[in-house]
Amino acid sequence: MTLRFIASSRLPTPWAVFTMHGFEDSETGKEHLALTLGELDSAKPVLARIHSECLTGDALFSLRCDCGFQLEEALKRIAAEGRGALFYLRQEGRGIGLLNKIRAYNLQDAGADTVEANEQLGFAADLRDYSMLPSMLKHLNISSVRLMTNNPRKVDAFTCCGIQVDERIPLTTGLNPHNADYLDTKANKLGHLMKTEDYKA
């Protein structure tokens, strides 16, 4: 992957004024973001999160997943600490795209779980790619992180590119009647390190 930095700007939010960094994959045209706060180029590990785009959860307030809840909670925690980075990667629907995600939701409405729905459409359960991370991390001078995630694959995404993960911090928020089965499937079929009883509503 050939990722190039495009520009940075201020991004005021309800929790802090972040700096937004834009990157472009010159091969695919996909655009990715990093939101940062505070000084990152010290020896102290950076509080961080990888967040894959979820239009329905992040922007449309869907209760079918926990994505929007996790995004907000991660930004709140970074703001409270005064230092951190959130990597917002444009790979909707665990990599299958928005329209296929809607098709997958339709299959879930008929009784499939999130993994079965993807597989019925001919996709793997998780097609996300983290190969853009090394370039983003190098640009931001980040060498070690405290990673907010329940997904061991995201820990691996950092360690595989030589970034030390000093701590994995669970991010358990957003449980509701519409996503309880979805969260169980993430734990039982996708290997996410959480139980629904760990979640706060």
Side-chain angles (χ1 to χ4, degrees), residues 71-127:
L71 176 62
E72 181 174 338
E73 180 67 16
L75 292 175
K76 284 180 177 177
R77 291 187 189 183
I78 291 170
E81 185 151 315
R83 181 175 180 267
L86 184 138
F87 300 90
Y88 195 90
L89 309 182
R90 307 294 301 280
Q91 39 191 2
E92 179 74 49
R94 295 202 302 275
I96 67 174
L98 180 59
L99 297 183
N100 282 322
K101 179 180 178 179
I102 296 172
R103 293 186 179 102
Y105 276 173
N106 179 258
L107 293 171
Q108 291 173 45
D109 290 340
D113 66 33
T114 183
V115 170
E116 292 166 347
N118 276 26
E119 291 173 344
Q120 287 176 31
L121 290 172
F123 300 109
D126 191 343
L127 290 173

Side-chain angles (χ1 to χ4, degrees), residues 33-66:
L33 300 174
L35 301 184
T36 65
L37 186 65
E39 296 297 325
L40 305 181
D41 56 353
S42 73
K44 183 180 178 183
V46 174
L47 182 63
R49 172 162 175 78
I50 304 172
H51 190 91
S52 294
E53 179 181 35
C54 176
L55 178 70
T56 49
D58 298 342
L60 300 178
F61 314 106
S62 171
L63 298 178
R64 297 186 72 134
C65 64
D66 56 343

Side-chain angles (χ1 to χ4, degrees), residues 49 65-74 77 147-151 168-176 179 183 186-187 192-201:
R49 172 162 175 78
C65 64
D66 56 343
C67 303
F69 299 100
Q70 289 187 320
L71 176 62
E72 181 174 338
E73 180 67 16
R77 291 187 189 183
L147 187 61
M148 294 180 282
T149 188
N150 306 320
N151 186 350
R168 184 189 69 84
I169 302 171
L171 199 57
T172 51
T173 185
L175 173 65
N176 67 77
N179 69 15
L183 296 177
K186 287 212 297 186
H192 288 214
L193 303 173
M194 84 289 189
K195 300 176 182 178
T196 51
E197 55 262 34
D198 299 331
Y199 273 66
K200 59 180 181 180

Side-chain angles (χ1 to χ4, degrees), residues 147-166:
L147 187 61
M148 294 180 282
T149 188
N150 306 320
N151 186 350
R153 294 179 186 174
K154 291 184 178 179
V155 175
D156 292 342
F158 276 96
T159 56
C160 285
C161 62
I163 303 300
Q164 181 175 329
V165 179
D166 283 54

